[in-house]
Amino acid sequence: MGNLDLNLIRTFVMLYETRSVTVTAEQLFVTQPSISYALSKLRDVFKDRLFIRTKGGMEPTATAQQLYSELSRSLSMIENTITNVQSFDPAKSQKCFRVAMTDLGEMTLLPSIFARLQKEAPNVELEVVPLEIEKVDEWMSSGKIDAVICSRHLESQSIERHIIRKERYVCIINDKFSPSPQALTMEQFMSHRHAVVTKSLGHGAAEEALAHLGVKRKVSLKVSHFSTLPSVLEKTGVMTILPFKIATLFTENNALKIYELPFEVADFEVALHWQSRHNNSSSHSWFRELIIQSLSEY
């Protein structure tokens, strides 16, 4: 066991979480042959294959599964201890933080976050990763991202969350094509054609509510980004469902009208999420607090 240094533990944990030699090499900033060499040493130490190459990736053996919980916990404690001993100075740091969010987040939240970041840590780099809600757990556990801002409640026990604000969904349409009454009826809602945004961004609550009612609206357009909608709405008579905050933003520069939905959709929370293993990391704590403070008056 004397040959099991910190780099070997880090390689084992990352390989277990990613199931990929390629991704592990990328995350640890080493070559793939280096990962293969480290795996060979790990196999010698534990007298077990540890990982078996399959079509779905590197599948851990029973021994690897038994080792992971203890080694990952030990690695987290060691890395947090090292991070806390090393002072983090945001004014001098050149660290890169990665946060996943939708284009809605980029439009409404990112300006405040980046402005504060530039003021407090001008040399720190911020990389925004386009949100794919189905991949968030994998991205968080593998270290591809440091945090995510989204409206979906992430179920993993290893993920912490802080609520940024509460929101509700509304309907929006070009004012020229809007129904005359102030209140939108279900009949009027169903008579219009609609533009929808892919569920991969985490905004599928309205579709789920309609499915529960047993009705299906007329969808004419599906897009992967919210930011394309203002120009579409400006030239057509389609309706779309948006969070109230972004709908209000869209109406500032476009002749659009907002309606309350004619059916019940639960309000939702926009929250910051991060891995609990980073709770005691001084750099990650500073980054989380920067996001929270920059959005506190949003």
Side-chain angles (χ1 to χ4, degrees):
M1 294 294 288
N3 294 325
L4 192 62
D5 61 29
L6 187 60
N7 287 329
L8 285 179
I9 297 176
R10 187 177 287 113
T11 299
F12 172 85
V13 170
M14 187 64 70
L15 189 56
Y16 187 97
E17 292 178 344
T18 65
R19 303 292 204 270
S20 168
V21 171
T22 302
V23 175
T24 298
E26 290 175 351
Q27 294 297 322
L28 297 180
F29 302 101
V30 298
T31 63
Q32 291 186 40
S34 296
I35 300 300
S36 297
Y37 177 73
L39 179 56
S40 177
K41 293 188 68 174
L42 286 163
R43 285 168 169 166
D44 288 340
V45 170
F46 293 109
K47 310 302 180 185
D48 187 87
R49 294 180 67 185
L50 297 178
F51 297 94
I52 301 171
R53 191 180 299 277
T54 68
K55 291 182 179 180
M58 300 295 285
E59 190 68 26
T61 65
T63 298
Q65 292 174 4
Q66 183 179 354
L67 287 168
Y68 172 73
S69 60
E70 292 299 327
L71 290 181
S72 62
R73 187 180 301 112
S74 298
L75 178 63
S76 178
M77 292 176 62
I78 292 170
E79 289 183 333
N80 284 335
T81 299
I82 293 173
T83 300
N84 289 328
V85 169
Q86 297 173 337
S87 60
F88 177 74
D89 186 350
K92 297 180 180 179
S93 176
Q94 297 184 0
K95 184 176 176 62
C96 175
F97 292 99
R98 297 178 179 86
V99 58
M101 64 176 72
T102 66
D103 60 326
L104 275 188
E106 292 185 33
M107 294 170 66
T108 60
L109 307 179
L110 181 59
S112 296
I113 296 171
F114 187 63
R116 193 178 185 101
L117 182 68
Q118 285 284 284
K119 182 178 180 180
E120 295 188 18
N123 296 314
V124 165
E125 178 184 349
L126 178 62
E127 180 180 345
V128 179
V129 180
L131 178 64
E132 295 181 53
I133 200 68
E134 296 86 358
K135 297 182 179 179
V136 164
D137 283 347
E138 174 193 338
W139 288 354
M140 295 279 272
S141 63
S142 69
K144 178 177 179 179
I145 57 175
D146 300 297
V148 58
I149 300 175
C150 67
S151 60
R152 180 73 63 86
H153 189 88
L154 305 180
E155 300 296 336
S156 174
Q157 294 182 349
S158 64
I159 295 179
E160 307 276 351
R161 73 194 297 261
H162 175 90
I163 299 171
I164 294 173
R165 59 182 171 85
K166 294 188 176 181
E167 257 281 23
R168 73 180 196 277
Y169 288 106
V170 295
C171 189
I172 189 170
I173 187 173
N174 187 320
D175 197 32
K176 292 188 299 184
F177 299 95
S178 62
S180 53
Q182 287 298 109
L184 180 68
T185 67
M186 191 65 176
E187 183 180 0
Q188 290 167 334
F189 176 86
M190 295 301 295
S191 68
H192 277 78
R193 296 194 174 276
H194 293 254
V196 299
V197 181
T198 176
K199 286 185 180 180
S200 67
L201 300 183
H203 289 275
E207 292 302 313
E208 293 169 5
L210 288 170
H212 183 72
L213 292 173
V215 296
K216 187 175 182 179
R217 54 179 167 158
K218 303 172 184 176
V219 176
S220 295
L221 176 67
K222 293 183 179 180
V223 296
S224 56
H225 300 287
F226 287 97
S227 55
T228 61
L229 290 174
S231 56
V232 170
L233 295 172
E234 185 182 13
K235 298 180 183 298
T236 67
V238 297
M239 282 184 170
T240 193
I241 296 174
L242 292 171
F244 176 73
K245 187 74 175 182
I246 195 67
T248 303
L249 180 64
F250 284 174
T251 60
E252 289 179 359
N253 300 311
N254 301 277
L256 304 174
K257 186 171 182 178
I258 296 175
Y259 287 97
E260 297 297 331
L261 292 174
F263 56 95
E264 290 293 325
V265 178
D267 293 348
F268 62 93
E269 299 168 337
V270 178
L272 170 68
H273 302 78
W274 67 92
Q275 275 280 343
S276 56
R277 68 170 182 260
H278 295 315
N279 280 346
N280 297 319
S281 165
S282 57
S283 60
H284 282 83
S285 295
W286 169 83
F287 181 59
R288 295 194 301 270
E289 190 60 26
L290 178 136
I291 291 176
I292 292 168
Q293 291 301 318
S294 66
L295 301 177
S296 61
E297 298 180 359
Y298 176 75

